Amino acid sequence: MANFFPRWTNWLPLKVLVIGAVMVPAVTAGVWYYFTPKFTRVGYQPVQPIPFSHQIHATELGIDCRYCHSFVEVSYHSNVPNTQVCMNCHSQVQKDNPKLAALRTSWTTGQPISWTQLHKTPDYAYYNHSVHVNRGVSCASCHGQVNHMSVVYHDQPLSMAWCLECHRHPENALRPRDQVYNLDWKPSDEDPKAFVAKYGKPPGEENKDFSAAGVKLTQQEIGTTLKHDWQVNPPENCAGCHR
């Protein structure tokens, strides 16, 4: 009987299987990483219509986050400051600076400044900003050390997996409410004796002497104590965010 196919085709099925075994995991791994927020969002740093520096305003001038983002504690989203807020200072300070031309134009015409929104929760996900900051989650936990950014960039992926990790272990992020807007705060800055007097000892550490010299609190001790004291129990089911 005549041979209709060349001899090399006898190996074709095996070659296809081998290539598939290599390519499928490679493509899956590539999509898994390069099409996720960790790659597509982190580091995103758009050019804004006005070169606003948080390093200057928040760190050098010491302006509180809530002066500009005034709805942060009462609204489900944190607002971008309007022109009036900026002009409270810049009607006098740097009022002729050419970098602020867009601000002066906005003030004159009444048209808002076209800021490029950096952090945006998808429409299909519910997120309440006020709930988080009022329960001891600092701006730095999600947005990074914004107070040291000359140009703000996307610091964390803010993906579903990233959010769930925090919901499962909120003690890793909680801090005293009076330190939520202190983006340079560290657990070692907390006075152990004063903290224990206010919130009690961390669960499981009842026999530890927190008034002894040299004792420092850890994030786990602070977070676990606040989680217990404030009864923090973030939802982990789908309905918590997808309503």
Side-chain angles (χ1 to χ4, degrees):
M1 187 175 179
N3 293 323
F4 292 100
F5 300 99
R7 181 168 295 179
W8 63 266
T9 59
N10 293 335
W11 293 95
L12 187 59
L14 181 60
K15 291 179 180 179
V16 171
L17 289 174
V18 172
I19 292 174
V22 173
M23 291 301 297
V24 170
V27 171
T28 301
V31 171
W32 189 274
Y33 179 73
Y34 290 107
F35 286 80
T36 57
K38 186 176 182 180
F39 182 81
T40 59
R41 288 189 186 180
V42 174
Y44 174 53
Q45 190 176 48
V47 176
Q48 300 288 0
I50 299 174
F52 181 89
S53 171
H54 278 78
Q55 167 69 28
I56 292 174
H57 290 77
T59 297
E60 295 180 19
L61 298 178
I63 298 175
D64 191 285
C65 308
R66 291 164 290 186
Y67 181 77
C68 298
H69 304 287
S70 53
F71 297 159
V72 66
E73 294 179 303
V74 296
S75 175
Y76 71 94
H77 76 283
S78 176
N79 60 302
V80 175
N82 58 32
T83 303
Q84 172 68 68
V85 172
C86 300
M87 288 300 289
N88 287 342
C89 293
H90 288 295
S91 60
Q92 300 295 324
V93 179
Q94 299 284 329
K95 62 179 182 179
D96 297 320
N97 191 325
K99 294 180 179 180
L100 300 178
L103 175 63
R104 292 192 293 271
T105 299
S106 173
W107 180 247
T108 302
T109 63
Q111 296 298 315
I113 300 169
S114 299
W115 298 104
T116 299
Q117 188 170 355
L118 192 62
H119 304 91
K120 181 175 175 58
T121 305
D123 292 338
Y124 54 78
Y126 174 80
Y127 176 82
N128 190 313
H129 207 284
S130 62
V131 168
H132 289 75
V133 296
N134 288 320
R135 274 293 178 266
V137 179
S138 173
C139 315
S141 296
C142 301
H143 303 301
Q145 297 297 127
V146 177
N147 57 320
H148 295 302
M149 296 182 188
S150 294
V151 179
V152 175
Y153 57 86
H154 215 295
D155 185 74
Q156 297 294 329
L158 307 184
S159 62
M160 183 173 71
W162 183 87
C163 293
L164 275 172
E165 181 61 25
C166 189
H167 275 221
R168 290 171 181 143
H169 305 287
E171 63 275 6
N172 294 333
L174 299 180
R175 62 175 67 180
R177 290 192 187 96
D178 60 352
Q179 299 298 334
V180 165
Y181 303 100
N182 176 8
L183 307 192
D184 290 323
W185 176 87
K186 300 184 297 296
S188 57
D189 295 336
E190 203 67 25
D191 180 355
K193 186 176 180 180
F195 180 86
V196 169
K198 185 174 183 179
Y199 300 107
K201 291 187 176 182
E205 299 285 352
E206 288 77 12
N207 296 324
K208 184 175 180 179
D209 183 8
F210 287 94
S211 61
V215 172
K216 295 291 184 181
L217 288 165
T218 66
Q219 176 59 52
Q220 285 295 311
E221 290 172 334
I222 292 173
T224 303
T225 302
L226 297 177
K227 177 183 177 181
H228 179 266
D229 187 72
W230 295 340
Q231 299 181 4
V232 176
N233 186 28
E236 297 178 30
N237 58 2
C238 303
C241 300
H242 305 291
R243 302 182 178 183

